[in-house]
Amino acid sequence: MQVITRDFFLYLSKNKALNRAAQNWGGNIAAGKIVGGLNFPSSIKFIKELNEEGLSVTVDHLGEFVTSTSVAKERTEECIKTIEMIAAEGLDSQVSVKMTSLGLDIDEKLVYENMTRILDTAEKLKIMVTIDMEDEVRCQKTLDIFKDFKQRYTYISTVLQAYLYRTENDLNELNQFKPFLRLVKGAYKESPNVAFPDKADVDENYKKLIKTQLLSGIYTAIATHDDAMIEYTKQLAKDHNILPNQFEFQMLYGMRTATQKKLVKDGYKMRVYVPYGNDWYGYFMRRLAERPANIAFALKGMTKK
Protein backbone atom coordinates (compact mmCIF):
# COMPACT_ATOMS: atom_id res chain seq x y z
CA MET A 1 0.00 0.00 0.00
CA GLN A 2 2.84 2.36 0.86
CA VAL A 3 4.45 1.79 -2.56
CA ILE A 4 1.13 2.53 -4.30
CA THR A 5 0.69 5.72 -2.29
CA ARG A 6 4.25 6.82 -3.03
CA ASP A 7 3.93 6.17 -6.76
CA PHE A 8 0.57 7.97 -6.87
CA PHE A 9 1.91 11.17 -5.34
CA LEU A 10 5.08 11.05 -7.45
CA TYR A 11 2.84 10.74 -10.52
CA LEU A 12 0.81 13.76 -9.39
CA SER A 13 4.02 15.74 -8.78
CA LYS A 14 4.89 15.45 -12.48
CA ASN A 15 1.43 16.35 -13.80
CA LYS A 16 1.95 19.62 -15.70
CA ALA A 17 -1.75 20.51 -15.89
CA LEU A 18 -2.20 20.19 -12.12
CA ASN A 19 1.03 22.13 -11.54
CA ARG A 20 -0.21 25.00 -13.71
CA ALA A 21 -3.57 25.00 -11.94
CA ALA A 22 -1.87 25.05 -8.54
CA GLN A 23 0.25 28.03 -9.59
CA ASN A 24 -2.83 29.91 -10.77
CA TRP A 25 -5.13 29.41 -7.82
CA GLY A 26 -3.36 27.55 -5.04
CA GLY A 27 -0.71 29.98 -3.88
CA ASN A 28 -2.80 31.65 -1.21
CA ILE A 29 -3.80 28.27 0.22
CA ALA A 30 -0.19 27.17 0.56
CA ALA A 31 1.39 30.47 1.69
CA GLY A 32 2.07 30.54 5.41
CA LYS A 33 0.97 26.90 5.68
CA ILE A 34 3.40 24.65 3.76
CA VAL A 35 5.41 27.36 1.98
CA GLY A 36 6.53 30.72 3.27
CA GLY A 37 5.07 32.77 0.44
CA LEU A 38 5.12 33.24 -3.30
CA ASN A 39 8.35 35.27 -3.01
CA PHE A 40 11.00 35.78 -0.37
CA PRO A 41 9.89 39.22 0.93
CA SER A 42 6.43 37.79 1.68
CA SER A 43 8.11 34.91 3.54
CA ILE A 44 10.11 37.09 5.91
CA LYS A 45 7.28 37.55 8.41
CA PHE A 46 6.87 33.77 8.73
CA ILE A 47 10.62 33.29 9.17
CA LYS A 48 10.66 35.91 11.92
CA GLU A 49 7.81 34.12 13.67
CA LEU A 50 9.77 30.88 13.59
CA ASN A 51 12.93 32.61 14.84
CA GLU A 52 10.99 34.15 17.73
CA GLU A 53 9.98 30.63 18.77
CA GLY A 54 13.62 29.53 18.80
CA LEU A 55 13.50 27.78 15.43
CA SER A 56 16.24 28.26 12.85
CA VAL A 57 15.38 28.20 9.15
CA THR A 58 16.68 27.27 5.73
CA VAL A 59 14.86 28.70 2.70
CA ASP A 60 14.55 27.34 -0.81
CA HIS A 61 13.20 29.08 -3.91
CA LEU A 62 11.09 26.32 -5.45
CA GLY A 63 11.76 25.24 -9.01
CA GLU A 64 14.13 22.71 -10.51
CA PHE A 65 15.09 21.08 -13.83
CA VAL A 66 15.59 24.48 -15.46
CA THR A 67 16.31 24.22 -19.20
CA SER A 68 16.77 27.92 -20.00
CA THR A 69 20.02 29.84 -19.44
CA SER A 70 18.09 33.04 -18.75
CA VAL A 71 15.91 31.32 -16.12
CA ALA A 72 19.01 29.81 -14.47
CA LYS A 73 20.51 33.30 -14.22
CA GLU A 74 17.23 34.65 -12.81
CA ARG A 75 17.32 31.92 -10.14
CA THR A 76 20.89 32.89 -9.35
CA GLU A 77 19.93 36.54 -8.89
CA GLU A 78 17.01 35.48 -6.70
CA CYS A 79 19.32 33.43 -4.48
CA ILE A 80 21.81 36.29 -4.14
CA LYS A 81 19.07 38.77 -3.23
CA THR A 82 17.67 36.30 -0.70
CA ILE A 83 21.06 35.94 0.98
CA GLU A 84 21.41 39.73 1.11
CA MET A 85 17.92 40.12 2.63
CA ILE A 86 18.61 37.42 5.23
CA ALA A 87 21.66 39.39 6.35
CA ALA A 88 19.92 42.78 6.20
CA GLU A 89 16.93 41.53 8.23
CA GLY A 90 19.13 39.68 10.73
CA LEU A 91 17.27 36.41 10.16
CA ASP A 92 18.44 33.10 11.62
CA SER A 93 18.31 31.47 8.23
CA GLN A 94 20.40 29.60 5.71
CA VAL A 95 19.73 29.00 2.00
CA SER A 96 19.19 25.78 0.07
CA VAL A 97 19.59 25.58 -3.71
CA LYS A 98 19.25 22.87 -6.37
CA MET A 99 21.90 22.65 -9.04
CA THR A 100 19.30 22.00 -11.76
CA SER A 101 17.78 25.40 -10.94
CA LEU A 102 21.17 26.97 -11.74
CA GLY A 103 21.55 25.14 -15.05
CA LEU A 104 23.00 21.71 -14.26
CA ASP A 105 21.10 20.16 -17.17
CA ILE A 106 22.21 22.93 -19.54
CA ASP A 107 25.92 23.51 -19.16
CA GLU A 108 28.46 22.75 -16.42
CA LYS A 109 30.26 26.05 -16.96
CA LEU A 110 26.97 27.90 -16.40
CA VAL A 111 26.42 26.13 -13.05
CA TYR A 112 29.92 27.02 -11.87
CA GLU A 113 29.50 30.66 -12.87
CA ASN A 114 26.15 30.95 -11.11
CA MET A 115 27.25 29.07 -7.99
CA THR A 116 30.43 31.12 -7.71
CA ARG A 117 28.39 34.34 -7.64
CA ILE A 118 26.11 32.91 -4.96
CA LEU A 119 28.96 31.67 -2.79
CA ASP A 120 30.93 34.90 -3.11
CA THR A 121 27.94 36.68 -1.57
CA ALA A 122 27.33 33.98 1.04
CA GLU A 123 30.97 33.97 2.11
CA LYS A 124 31.00 37.73 2.52
CA LEU A 125 27.79 37.73 4.59
CA LYS A 126 28.50 34.43 6.41
CA ILE A 127 25.28 32.71 5.27
CA MET A 128 25.39 28.94 4.78
CA VAL A 129 24.33 27.64 1.36
CA THR A 130 23.27 24.01 1.12
CA ILE A 131 23.37 22.25 -2.24
CA ASP A 132 20.20 20.17 -2.24
CA MET A 133 20.49 16.63 -3.55
CA GLU A 134 18.25 15.62 -6.43
CA ASP A 135 17.71 12.29 -8.19
CA GLU A 136 20.41 9.63 -8.47
CA VAL A 137 21.23 10.49 -12.08
CA ARG A 138 22.49 13.90 -10.92
CA CYS A 139 24.05 12.71 -7.66
CA GLN A 140 27.66 12.36 -8.81
CA LYS A 141 27.68 15.69 -10.65
CA THR A 142 26.23 17.39 -7.58
CA LEU A 143 28.84 15.88 -5.27
CA ASP A 144 31.65 16.81 -7.67
CA ILE A 145 30.45 20.42 -7.64
CA PHE A 146 30.28 20.39 -3.84
CA LYS A 147 33.77 18.93 -3.44
CA ASP A 148 35.24 21.50 -5.79
CA PHE A 149 33.64 24.50 -4.10
CA LYS A 150 34.23 23.14 -0.58
CA GLN A 151 37.97 23.45 -1.17
CA ARG A 152 37.54 27.20 -1.70
CA TYR A 153 34.52 28.21 0.39
CA THR A 154 33.51 27.74 4.01
CA TYR A 155 29.78 28.47 3.85
CA ILE A 156 28.71 25.52 1.75
CA SER A 157 27.07 22.20 2.62
CA THR A 158 25.18 19.44 0.85
CA VAL A 159 22.76 16.55 1.32
CA LEU A 160 23.09 12.76 1.35
CA GLN A 161 20.18 10.38 0.84
CA ALA A 162 19.97 7.14 2.82
CA TYR A 163 17.96 5.22 0.25
CA LEU A 164 20.84 5.11 -2.24
CA TYR A 165 23.26 2.17 -2.04
CA ARG A 166 26.19 4.46 -2.80
CA THR A 167 25.65 6.88 0.08
CA GLU A 168 27.78 5.14 2.71
CA ASN A 169 30.78 5.36 0.38
CA ASP A 170 29.92 8.96 -0.48
CA LEU A 171 29.88 9.84 3.22
CA ASN A 172 33.27 8.28 3.80
CA GLU A 173 34.74 10.15 0.83
CA LEU A 174 33.24 13.48 1.87
CA ASN A 175 34.45 13.33 5.46
CA GLN A 176 37.95 14.38 4.41
CA PHE A 177 36.37 17.82 3.90
CA LYS A 178 34.72 17.75 7.37
CA PRO A 179 31.50 18.98 5.77
CA PHE A 180 28.26 20.13 7.31
CA LEU A 181 25.82 17.58 5.83
CA ARG A 182 22.07 17.20 5.87
CA LEU A 183 21.14 13.51 6.11
CA VAL A 184 17.75 12.54 4.65
CA LYS A 185 16.03 9.32 3.62
CA GLY A 186 15.28 10.48 0.06
CA ALA A 187 12.14 11.45 -1.85
CA TYR A 188 12.68 10.62 -5.54
CA LYS A 189 11.47 7.47 -7.28
CA GLU A 190 14.57 5.40 -7.99
CA SER A 191 15.29 2.01 -9.53
CA PRO A 192 16.05 -0.89 -7.16
CA ASN A 193 19.33 -1.05 -9.05
CA VAL A 194 20.49 2.10 -7.27
CA ALA A 195 18.26 2.41 -4.19
CA PHE A 196 16.94 0.24 -1.38
CA PRO A 197 13.36 -0.72 -2.33
CA ASP A 198 12.35 -1.65 1.23
CA LYS A 199 11.72 0.94 3.94
CA ALA A 200 13.33 -1.22 6.62
CA ASP A 201 16.62 -1.23 4.70
CA VAL A 202 16.45 2.53 4.17
CA ASP A 203 15.89 3.03 7.90
CA GLU A 204 18.85 0.85 8.82
CA ASN A 205 21.11 2.67 6.38
CA TYR A 206 19.88 6.00 7.71
CA LYS A 207 20.81 4.97 11.25
CA LYS A 208 24.23 3.88 10.03
CA LEU A 209 24.83 7.27 8.38
CA ILE A 210 23.67 9.17 11.45
CA LYS A 211 25.95 7.14 13.72
CA THR A 212 28.97 7.49 11.44
CA GLN A 213 28.55 11.22 11.14
CA LEU A 214 27.79 11.99 14.79
CA LEU A 215 30.67 9.86 16.06
CA SER A 216 33.01 11.67 13.66
CA GLY A 217 32.41 14.89 15.59
CA ILE A 218 31.40 16.75 12.42
CA TYR A 219 28.35 18.98 12.82
CA THR A 220 25.39 17.24 11.16
CA ALA A 221 21.73 17.87 10.33
CA ILE A 222 19.30 14.97 10.73
CA ALA A 223 16.33 15.84 8.54
CA THR A 224 13.40 13.58 9.44
CA HIS A 225 9.82 13.53 10.70
CA ASP A 226 10.22 9.94 11.86
CA ASP A 227 9.92 9.66 15.64
CA ALA A 228 12.00 6.47 15.64
CA MET A 229 14.90 8.25 13.95
CA ILE A 230 14.62 11.24 16.26
CA GLU A 231 14.71 8.99 19.32
CA TYR A 232 17.58 6.97 17.84
CA THR A 233 19.61 10.16 17.40
CA LYS A 234 18.87 11.40 20.89
CA GLN A 235 19.81 8.05 22.46
CA LEU A 236 22.97 7.83 20.37
CA ALA A 237 23.99 11.28 21.53
CA LYS A 238 23.30 10.33 25.16
CA ASP A 239 25.23 7.04 24.95
CA HIS A 240 28.31 8.70 23.44
CA ASN A 241 28.20 12.03 25.31
CA ILE A 242 27.54 13.98 22.13
CA LEU A 243 26.40 17.48 23.04
CA PRO A 244 23.24 18.97 21.51
CA ASN A 245 25.31 21.72 19.89
CA GLN A 246 27.07 19.13 17.70
CA PHE A 247 24.01 18.38 15.56
CA GLU A 248 20.58 19.67 14.62
CA PHE A 249 17.22 18.30 13.58
CA GLN A 250 15.47 19.56 10.46
CA MET A 251 11.81 19.34 9.46
CA LEU A 252 9.52 20.82 6.85
CA TYR A 253 7.55 23.99 7.38
CA GLY A 254 3.93 23.28 8.32
CA MET A 255 4.54 19.69 9.37
CA ARG A 256 4.98 18.43 12.94
CA THR A 257 5.10 21.94 14.37
CA ALA A 258 4.40 20.72 17.92
CA THR A 259 7.32 18.28 17.68
CA GLN A 260 9.58 21.04 16.36
CA LYS A 261 8.77 23.27 19.33
CA LYS A 262 9.17 20.38 21.77
CA LEU A 263 12.67 19.66 20.46
CA VAL A 264 13.63 23.32 20.98
CA LYS A 265 12.17 23.23 24.49
CA ASP A 266 14.23 20.11 25.22
CA GLY A 267 17.42 21.94 24.24
CA TYR A 268 17.95 20.69 20.69
CA LYS A 269 18.71 22.79 17.64
CA MET A 270 15.75 22.66 15.27
CA ARG A 271 15.85 24.05 11.72
CA VAL A 272 12.73 24.43 9.60
CA TYR A 273 12.90 24.02 5.82
CA VAL A 274 10.82 26.90 4.42
CA PRO A 275 10.30 26.79 0.66
CA TYR A 276 8.79 29.70 -1.24
CA GLY A 277 7.65 30.44 -4.78
CA ASN A 278 4.99 29.49 -7.31
CA ASP A 279 6.25 25.98 -7.93
CA TRP A 280 4.92 24.66 -4.63
CA TYR A 281 2.74 21.88 -6.03
CA GLY A 282 5.47 19.45 -7.15
CA TYR A 283 7.35 20.00 -3.90
CA PHE A 284 4.19 19.28 -1.89
CA MET A 285 3.40 16.07 -3.78
CA ARG A 286 6.95 14.74 -3.32
CA ARG A 287 6.74 15.37 0.40
CA LEU A 288 3.52 13.38 0.56
CA ALA A 289 5.17 10.59 -1.44
CA GLU A 290 8.19 10.58 0.86
CA ARG A 291 6.24 9.40 3.88
CA PRO A 292 2.51 8.53 4.10
CA ALA A 293 2.30 10.07 7.58
CA ASN A 294 3.08 13.44 5.97
CA ILE A 295 -0.43 13.42 4.49
CA ALA A 296 -1.99 13.89 7.92
CA PHE A 297 0.64 16.47 8.94
CA ALA A 298 0.11 18.38 5.71
CA LEU A 299 -3.68 18.45 5.94
CA LYS A 300 -3.43 19.72 9.49
CA GLY A 301 -0.97 22.40 8.41
CA MET A 302 -3.07 23.45 5.41
CA THR A 303 -6.19 23.93 7.53
CA LYS A 304 -4.57 25.76 10.45
CA LYS A 305 -5.49 29.40 11.00
Side-chain angles (χ1 to χ4, degrees):
M1 182 63 185
Q2 182 174 335
V3 174
I4 295 173
T5 302
R6 176 184 172 86
D7 289 348
F8 174 67
F9 283 112
L10 287 174
Y11 166 77
L12 291 180
S13 74
K14 298 175 182 178
N15 188 297
K16 294 181 179 179
L18 290 175
N19 207 329
R20 284 194 298 270
Q23 289 183 19
N24 290 333
W25 57 260
N28 290 332
I29 297 175
K33 304 293 175 59
I34 59 169
V35 300
L38 299 185
N39 54 50
F40 185 72
S42 66
S43 304
I44 290 176
K45 65 177 180 179
F46 300 114
I47 296 171
K48 287 184 175 179
E49 289 173 0
L50 292 168
N51 287 169
E52 288 169 1
E53 294 177 328
L55 297 159
S56 299
V57 167
T58 186
V59 296
D60 177 21
H61 184 207
L62 293 172
E64 53 195 295
F65 307 124
V66 168
T67 57
S68 164
T69 298
S70 61
V71 173
K73 290 183 177 180
E74 287 173 6
R75 294 292 170 82
T76 301
E77 291 296 335
E78 168 68 25
C79 190
I80 291 170
K81 290 178 182 177
T82 296
I83 292 170
E84 291 173 341
M85 280 189 277
I86 288 172
E89 293 285 340
L91 304 176
D92 179 3
S93 179
Q94 300 177 355
V95 172
S96 295
V97 62
K98 293 178 175 62
M99 292 298 91
T100 54
S101 73
L102 303 185
L104 181 64
D105 293 347
I106 304 171
D107 178 57
E108 186 172 314
K109 182 179 177 182
L110 176 64
V111 174
Y112 272 83
E113 289 175 353
N114 289 337
M115 195 60 181
T116 296
R117 294 188 60 220
I118 289 170
L119 289 175
D120 282 345
T121 303
E123 201 80 1
K124 180 176 67 176
L125 298 175
K126 295 180 171 54
I127 304 294
M128 181 66 72
V129 176
T130 297
I131 298 178
D132 268 337
M133 189 55 68
E134 302 177 70
D135 55 2
E136 192 274 338
V137 173
R138 297 169 176 86
C139 182
Q140 188 60 55
K141 287 184 179 179
T142 301
L143 290 178
D144 289 343
I145 290 170
F146 171 74
K147 291 174 185 176
D148 192 2
F149 279 113
K150 182 59 181 173
Q151 295 178 67
R152 292 174 283 133
Y153 293 90
T154 301
Y155 290 88
I156 180 172
S157 65
T158 193
V159 180
L160 291 180
Q161 301 171 113
Y163 69 170
L164 296 179
Y165 300 136
R166 61 173 291 164
T167 301
E168 184 177 5
N169 288 333
D170 288 335
L171 179 61
N172 292 332
E173 288 182 11
L174 286 176
N175 273 347
Q176 64 179 300
F177 300 100
K178 299 189 181 303
F180 168 36
L181 297 175
R182 178 194 301 156
L183 302 180
V184 303
K185 289 188 182 181
Y188 291 88
K189 182 175 175 58
E190 302 287 4
S191 162
N193 293 327
V194 299
F196 295 103
D198 296 327
K199 179 182 180 299
D201 292 329
V202 176
D203 287 351
E204 285 307 306
N205 200 43
Y206 194 39
K207 288 179 180 178
K208 185 186 296 184
L209 299 176
I210 292 170
K211 185 173 183 178
T212 298
Q213 195 67 352
L214 289 191
L215 293 183
S216 74
I218 302 171
Y219 190 84
T220 306
I222 296 92
T224 183
H225 295 156
D226 189 335
D227 284 329
M229 296 302 156
I230 294 170
E231 291 306 314
Y232 172 80
T233 302
K234 290 162 70 174
Q235 188 61 50
L236 182 70
K238 182 178 179 181
D239 291 344
H240 294 276
N241 298 314
I242 299 169
L243 299 176
N245 63 5
Q246 291 180 254
F247 63 95
E248 66 182 48
F249 291 107
Q250 294 189 4
M251 293 186 192
L252 303 174
Y253 182 54
M255 299 187 188
R256 308 221 64 183
T257 54
T259 301
Q260 294 174 14
K261 294 175 183 177
K262 179 67 163 54
L263 285 168
V264 171
K265 184 179 179 182
D266 291 344
Y268 295 98
K269 178 85 168 182
M270 177 69 233
R271 189 175 303 278
V272 183
Y273 184 94
V274 181
Y276 69 92
N278 274 328
D279 292 331
W280 64 272
Y281 170 80
Y283 156 81
F284 186 39
M285 291 300 111
R286 285 194 299 277
R287 297 296 76 75
L288 298 185
E290 187 174 5
R291 186 167 179 256
N294 283 349
I295 299 172
F297 301 145
L299 290 174
K300 184 177 180 180
M302 291 285 279
T303 55
K304 72 180 181 181
K305 295 183 178 180

